[in-house]
């Protein structure tokens, strides 16, 4: 019994040293937490992707509730069934044609690249054919990956499936998960947490609404305008334009470049027409849709979003690239809420 009352190696009698030891333990705990987050970054990103998808479902259910006064569960089910029906229709009626066009796209890109090289050489530009060949092969590899991604969207991926399933769970019972997280926080922090999550949810819904609206408008408008003129692969180009519209700052130049390359394969007039289509579609999206949505959501600086996309894309690939914008918006909302909370104390 006497031995149990003796000081052990972890007992610190000096109050100052004991305080410093507690601070050191806090910093060590933070370092371990950061390392744990880095180690679990991929599954955490999948969970965040599920939240983003849940915000899209929730936004559709709320919008449907304005015209149909049905219980929330039924509205969520209708939104999900509508999404499944749209994907099924796309795969059934357009999947085969788009797959054939996707297989032919790399050959068109290669032909147009060789034509561009010949034109530059004929105008006195000294071009190393070997270097250009290497660049062309890399570009074609990227195009092949892009067209394969279209098939992946139609076929489904494991990560995307997990995001969809988690999104459905989050959208079905959002209050259940919100209360569970709030319960783990101190009582004095729960009100601030509830307000912050509500603001984050609203911002995320509006951000995703603007993103989906832009994807729909750009995809349909591109397909219709190209089909009217008889541009080859109008359906594939419209689909790629709509999908790439989900990636602000990056998607539009890629889809525009592909559109112009395919357009010039049919002649100079068709190429110029494709340039006009790209300018018109991006002007409508940039001057009407984006400002309309930005008024009610987090207005993010383009350079900030682009930097986040580059970092997230390098770390986590296409999933990180797609979720960079929502992640930056959520961080901005949290910082703004904390700033408003600290404002009275500063005064």
């Amino acid at each position: 019994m006497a031995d149990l009352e003796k000081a052990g190696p972890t007992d610190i009698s000096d109050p100052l040293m004991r305080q410093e030891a507690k601070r050191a333990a806090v910093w060590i705990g933070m370092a371990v937490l950061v390392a744990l987050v880095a180690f679990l970054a991929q599954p955490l990103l999948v969970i965040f992707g599920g939240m983003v998808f849940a915000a899209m479902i929730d936004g559709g259910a709320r919008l449907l509730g304005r015209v149909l006064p049905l219980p929330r569960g039924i509205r969520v089910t209708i939104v999900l069934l509508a999404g499944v029906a749209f994907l099924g229709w796309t795969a059934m009626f357009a999947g085969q044609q788009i797959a054939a066009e996707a297989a032919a796209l790399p050959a068109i890109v290669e032909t147009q690249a060789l034509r561009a090289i010949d034109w530059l050489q004929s105008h006195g530009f000294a071009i190393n054919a070997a270097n250009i060949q290497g660049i062309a092969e890399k570009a074609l590899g990227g195009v092949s990956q892009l067209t394969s991604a279209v098939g992946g969207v139609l076929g489904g991926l494991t990560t995307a499936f997990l995001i969809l399933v988690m999104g459905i769970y989050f959208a079905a019972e959002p209050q259940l998960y919100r209360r569970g997280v709030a319960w783990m926080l101190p009582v004095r922090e729960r009100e601030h947490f509830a307000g912050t999550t509500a603001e984050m949810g609203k911002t995320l819904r509006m951000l995703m609404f603007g993103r989906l609206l832009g994807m729909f408008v750009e995809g349909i408008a591109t397909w219709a305008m190209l089909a009217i003129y008889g541009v080859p692969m109008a359906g594939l180009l419209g689909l790629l334009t709509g999908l790439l519209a989900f990636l602000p700052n990056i998607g539009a130049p890629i889809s525009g470049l592909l559109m112009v390359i395919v357009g010039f394969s049919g002649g100079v007039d068709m190429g110029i027409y494709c340039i006009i289509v790209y300018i018109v579609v991006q002007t409508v999206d940039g001057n009407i849709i984006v400002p309309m949505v930005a008024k009610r959501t987090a207005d993010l600086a383009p350079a900030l979003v682009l930097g986040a996309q580059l970092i997230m894309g390098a770390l986590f690939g296409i999933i990180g690239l797609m979720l960079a914008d929502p992640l930056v918006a959520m961080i901005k909302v949290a910082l703004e809420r904390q700033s408003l909370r600290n404002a009275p104390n500063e005064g």
Side-chain angles (χ1 to χ4, degrees):
M1 179 66 79
D3 292 337
L4 296 177
E5 296 177 355
K6 293 181 179 180
T10 58
D11 291 317
I12 303 175
S13 57
D14 188 352
L16 180 60
M17 289 296 296
R18 189 163 54 247
Q19 184 67 21
E20 291 299 324
K22 291 181 180 179
R23 292 179 179 177
V26 171
W27 282 108
I28 293 173
M30 290 296 296
V32 172
L33 180 62
V34 170
L36 186 62
V37 169
F39 181 74
L40 299 175
Q42 192 71 31
L44 289 176
L45 197 64
V46 173
I47 294 174
F48 181 70
M51 294 179 181
V52 173
F53 182 63
M56 297 165 63
I57 300 174
D58 184 56
R62 289 172 181 260
L63 187 63
L64 189 61
R66 296 183 178 182
V67 293
L68 293 177
L70 298 173
R72 174 183 169 80
I74 296 178
R75 286 184 278 121
V76 169
T77 303
I78 293 175
V79 171
L80 292 173
L81 291 177
V84 172
F86 174 76
L87 292 177
W89 176 85
T90 302
M92 183 180 300
F93 292 99
Q96 184 176 359
Q97 178 183 354
I98 290 176
E101 293 177 350
L105 181 59
I108 292 180
V109 174
E110 182 179 9
T111 301
Q112 292 303 103
L114 294 176
R115 286 182 180 179
I117 294 172
D118 293 338
W119 184 86
L120 291 173
Q121 288 178 339
S122 65
H123 286 75
F125 288 89
I127 300 176
N128 190 324
N131 293 339
I132 296 297
Q133 183 69 23
I135 295 174
E137 290 177 357
K138 291 181 180 179
L140 289 174
V143 172
S144 299
Q145 291 177 3
L146 183 61
T147 54
S148 297
V150 175
V153 170
L154 298 177
L157 300 172
T158 302
T159 301
F161 177 75
L162 291 175
I163 290 176
L164 293 177
V165 172
M166 296 194 69
I168 293 173
Y169 281 128
F170 288 146
E173 290 288 343
Q175 294 298 330
L176 175 65
Y177 303 99
R178 189 177 301 173
R179 289 196 304 266
V181 176
W183 176 79
M184 294 186 292
L185 299 175
V187 175
R188 63 180 182 276
E189 299 291 336
R190 293 178 184 176
E191 183 178 356
H192 176 73
F193 172 78
T196 300
T197 53
E199 186 66 24
M200 283 182 172
K202 178 181 177 181
T203 299
L204 197 55
R205 286 193 301 271
M206 290 302 302
L207 186 66
M208 291 299 101
F209 169 75
R211 194 66 52 78
L212 292 176
L213 180 62
M215 292 172 64
F216 179 80
V217 171
E218 290 190 29
I220 295 296
T222 299
W223 165 74
M225 296 175 71
L226 295 181
I228 290 174
Y229 196 83
V231 177
M233 303 183 179
L236 175 63
L237 293 173
L239 179 60
L240 289 177
T241 300
L243 292 176
L244 289 171
F246 194 85
L247 306 176
N249 304 324
I250 294 178
I254 297 175
S255 62
L257 178 62
L258 294 175
M259 188 191 310
V260 172
I261 289 175
V262 174
F264 276 102
S265 69
V268 177
D269 293 341
M270 185 178 290
I272 295 175
Y273 177 79
C274 288
I275 294 175
I276 295 174
V277 170
Y278 172 75
I279 294 175
V280 170
V281 171
Q282 295 304 318
T283 299
V284 171
D285 182 64
N287 292 294
I288 297 178
I289 298 177
V290 172
M292 177 185 68
V293 177
K295 291 179 181 179
R296 301 185 62 181
T297 186
D299 193 6
L300 303 175
L304 177 62
V305 175
L306 181 58
Q309 288 175 332
L310 293 175
I311 295 174
M312 295 289 289
L315 293 175
F316 307 110
I318 186 64
I319 299 296
L321 194 64
M322 294 172 63
L323 298 178
D325 192 25
L327 184 60
V328 171
M330 297 301 95
I331 294 175
K332 182 180 180 182
V333 170
L335 294 177
E336 288 177 345
R337 287 277 303 174
Q338 188 62 36
S339 177
L340 291 175
R341 187 183 187 186
N342 295 336
N345 297 331
E346 294 176 358

